[in-house]
Amino acid sequence: MKCKITLQERLKDLRVAHNLNLEELSKLTGISKSALGNYENDDYKEINHGNLVALAKFYNVSTDYLLCLTENKNHPNTELTDLHLSDDMVDLLKSEAINNRLLCEITTHDKFKELMADTEIFVDGIATGRFNNLNTSLENVRTEIISQNPDIEEDVPLKTLLAAQISEEDFFCHVTHKTWDTILKDIRKNHEHDVDSMPNDDDILSMQKLNQIMKSSGNSIDKYIEVFCNSLGIKYKRVSESEKESFRKLLKKSPAIKNSGISFRKRKR
């Protein structure tokens, strides 16, 4: 997943989150549809100051948020001391050594509070006494049975008493692992169609990866070309129609493309 976001992406994300198309947003903000479209264009670098302020007011966010100078939509001026972060944590977040956006998704997941509660119980040893008492009680019963029946073999009841003695560490490892599993799988599913989230283990995009990318955006050969250009750092919108047509002719020669079910009809814009 992406670590950083651009102004263009932020504007589009906000518009989509509000279920608006460009024409509807234009009517609500008084900004022309063409200007709004340009603001979301990857190649567009400038935005009118008045329109920037108008969009910030409309979305109820700060201009710093629109300009990607902060990730805080609702709390732009929160004091650092209010967050109770250690110096080491602040240094880590500022170092760009980790993906802060992913960290935010993890900690705001519905299950994270549950994970933290279980972690606190284990770290503080809150349940240690109960585990010890339970295990001691079970072991005493087992020992008593063996003392009264010295020739008894390890039968099912005895093995059950032994199996019921769960270590505190094993219990919390199991519980927290299940919670982590849920959190990570949910976040992965949320980003399964992100081009930037695809593993970059080779220089050539496999058909499997391309099919995953195109599931949510149609099955057009032009989409294939766009993904290929992006993977090489080429601006797709700067590729001329004649260059695209040459690309289409070349791809038609590939057996893998022919058998993929990808349509060679031009993608509608």
Side-chain angles (χ1 to χ4, degrees), residues 20-227:
L20 297 171
N21 58 38
L22 291 173
E23 186 173 350
E24 291 169 335
L25 182 60
S26 176
K27 291 179 180 179
L28 292 170
T29 60
I31 303 172
S32 70
K33 177 182 176 181
S34 60
L36 292 170
N38 285 333
Y39 296 158
E40 295 181 11
N41 190 316
D42 289 338
D43 296 328
Y44 199 79
K45 304 301 180 185
E46 297 180 2
I47 180 170
N48 178 282
H49 178 267
N51 289 348
L52 179 69
V53 173
L55 287 168
K57 288 182 178 179
F58 175 77
Y59 289 125
N60 195 28
V61 299
S62 67
T63 53
D64 279 355
Y65 181 77
L66 288 185
L67 293 170
C68 307
L69 299 176
T70 178
E71 292 295 309
N72 298 329
K73 185 189 298 185
N74 300 318
H75 307 284
N77 300 313
T78 300
E79 291 289 340
L80 194 61
T81 52
D82 294 339
L83 302 178
H84 306 289
L85 299 178
S86 67
D87 287 339
D88 288 341
M89 187 62 179
V90 174
D91 289 340
L92 177 63
L93 294 174
K94 293 176 65 177
S95 70
E96 298 187 357
I98 63 171
N99 188 331
N100 290 358
R101 292 175 65 82
L102 176 57
L103 178 62
C104 288
E105 287 197 58
I106 292 173
T107 55
T108 55
H109 189 279
D110 292 341
K111 285 283 187 178
F112 188 75
K113 289 183 180 179
E114 180 181 324
L115 177 65
M116 287 298 293
D118 290 331
T119 302
E120 188 173 351
I121 291 172
F122 176 73
V123 170
D124 292 344
I126 296 173
T128 301
R130 292 186 179 274
F131 274 96
N132 290 339
N133 291 340
L134 175 61
N135 289 336
T136 299
S137 177
L138 291 170
E139 183 58 25
N140 286 341
V141 173
R142 185 172 177 276
T143 301
E144 181 66 20
I145 293 174
I146 294 174
S147 67
Q148 294 178 5
N149 303 274
D151 297 328
I152 194 172
E153 296 182 359
E154 289 285 337
D155 58 3
V156 173
L158 281 178
K159 285 185 175 293
T160 301
L161 288 171
L162 184 62
Q165 298 179 43
I166 305 173
S167 74
E168 180 185 19
E169 184 174 340
D170 288 345
F171 175 80
F172 281 102
C173 179
H174 175 71
V175 169
T176 55
H177 174 76
K178 287 178 63 178
T179 310
W180 262 117
D181 190 56
T182 300
I183 293 172
L184 297 181
K185 284 184 176 178
D186 283 350
I187 293 175
R188 179 173 179 172
K189 185 176 181 180
N190 290 339
H191 294 280
E192 63 183 352
H193 296 305
D194 292 0
V195 174
D196 291 341
S197 291
M198 295 292 179
N200 220 3
D201 51 4
D202 51 45
D203 294 330
I204 301 175
L205 289 171
S206 68
M207 289 302 302
Q208 183 180 3
K209 292 178 186 176
L210 285 167
N211 286 335
Q212 289 176 340
I213 294 169
M214 291 187 287
K215 276 181 182 178
S216 62
S217 53
N219 206 18
S220 163
I221 195 65
D222 278 17
K223 183 62 182 177
Y224 184 106
I225 297 173
E226 182 175 353
V227 172

Side-chain angles (χ1 to χ4, degrees), residues 4-11 42 66-68:
K4 294 182 178 180
I5 192 170
T6 65
L7 166 65
Q8 293 85 350
E9 291 170 324
R10 176 140 289 168
L11 289 173
D42 289 338
L66 288 185
L67 293 170
C68 307

